[in-house]
Amino acid sequence: MTEAKEAARIAALSELIAWAERRERLSEDRADAVAAAWRTGTRNVAELARLARVTRDTVYADLAARAISLGSRGQEISGPPKAGGIPLRGESVRTVARIADAVARPAFTHDPDDPLVRVTLAASRALETVADVLEPPSDQGPGWTPRETLPGLADEGEKLAHHSHRALAANAEPAELTASTDSRRQAVLHTGRHAVADGASVTLTLPTGETITLQVGRDETGWTHLTSDSPLVTDGADSLDHLEAQAALQTLARIATRHLTESALTKHRKNAPPGSHLRTRTIPGNED
């Protein structure tokens, strides 16, 4: 057998083993779902089998695996039902990540600079990292603890935000962006529990080793302005600069708010902020 054929054989066996592991996990999930349906009042085994698309014997086995006796069929349901849902599983998240990656890769080859393509790619990588945190790979050596993988998740989150801002900057007029930024600022401040950042002084260390100061703020129209006494900084901010600068300022505001004493805050306001109005979005239903 050639080396290439042996590699292909091993890859095929690995995929078969992975499929078996996924099936085993899915069987556990099915048993949980069957048990939950039984406990909340569905006591017809034939119906459970039909809904789960398995045989009655499988339903019997699932119920037995969850310590449920068929003798409890006539038992009244007492008390509120247990909380639904299942824990987040690494393999389930990894499956979603692979689907997202399969969609993003061809699109990235077609147009690598499309911000929404880059958002999708960052989302797929973020999901893959979540899967690694939940179930670290056991066959790739050290370096897969949450402490070592979570920084990568944060990196992908930053990329997702950056390309989302790129998409917005390309589709909205500056006046819209200014109004939206101001509306969010008022809404956050109106809660009485959060500060907002209207400006910041940033010390920059340049690749040349020189240190300069950059002032980030808002002009009288609400648009971001960047100023410095150094000739190495140019004036003006475009739409992407505005969005990212305001997002950075509000990150600083969240940090600062966590260190404010109670006397710097007010009671939580429940009424709507001034100038706000209710917006609705119609989502088509299946019956339309």
Side-chain angles (χ1 to χ4, degrees), residues 248-280:
L249 286 174
Q250 297 324 310
T251 297
L252 291 174
R254 287 197 299 272
I255 296 171
T257 296
R258 293 197 291 267
H259 294 271
L260 294 176
T261 65
E262 190 63 28
S263 59
L265 307 174
T266 64
K267 292 181 63 175
H268 195 288
R269 300 188 180 102
K270 297 183 178 179
N271 58 312
S276 65
H277 61 279
L278 182 64
R279 296 193 300 172
T280 60

Side-chain angles (χ1 to χ4, degrees), residues 103-140:
V103 172
R105 290 289 174 181
F108 181 78
T109 301
H110 174 72
D111 188 357
D113 199 46
D114 185 323
L116 292 181
V117 170
R118 300 295 292 271
V119 165
T120 307
L121 194 60
S124 70
R125 289 172 174 168
L127 287 167
E128 187 70 33
T129 304
V130 170
D132 289 338
V133 172
L134 291 169
E135 296 178 9
S138 59
D139 58 349
Q140 299 187 35

Side-chain angles (χ1 to χ4, degrees), residues 21-78:
E21 291 176 347
R22 290 195 299 271
R23 185 183 66 172
E24 183 176 342
R25 274 189 282 266
L26 289 173
S27 297
E28 291 294 310
D29 294 345
R30 185 198 62 237
D32 289 338
V34 167
W38 181 275
R39 292 190 179 105
T40 53
T42 304
R43 305 290 170 78
N44 187 309
V45 173
E47 181 181 4
L48 292 173
R50 178 179 60 81
L51 294 174
R53 299 180 185 178
V54 295
T55 66
R56 293 188 184 190
D57 287 343
T58 299
V59 172
Y60 291 138
D62 285 343
L63 293 173
R66 295 300 178 264
I68 294 177
S69 169
L70 294 180
S72 64
R73 181 181 277 110
Q75 182 178 343
E76 291 293 329
I77 301 172
S78 58

Side-chain angles (χ1 to χ4, degrees), residues 1-17:
M1 182 177 290
T2 65
E3 183 176 343
K5 288 185 176 179
E6 176 63 11
R9 187 182 74 85
I10 293 174
L13 290 176
S14 297
E15 181 59 29
L16 182 60
I17 293 171

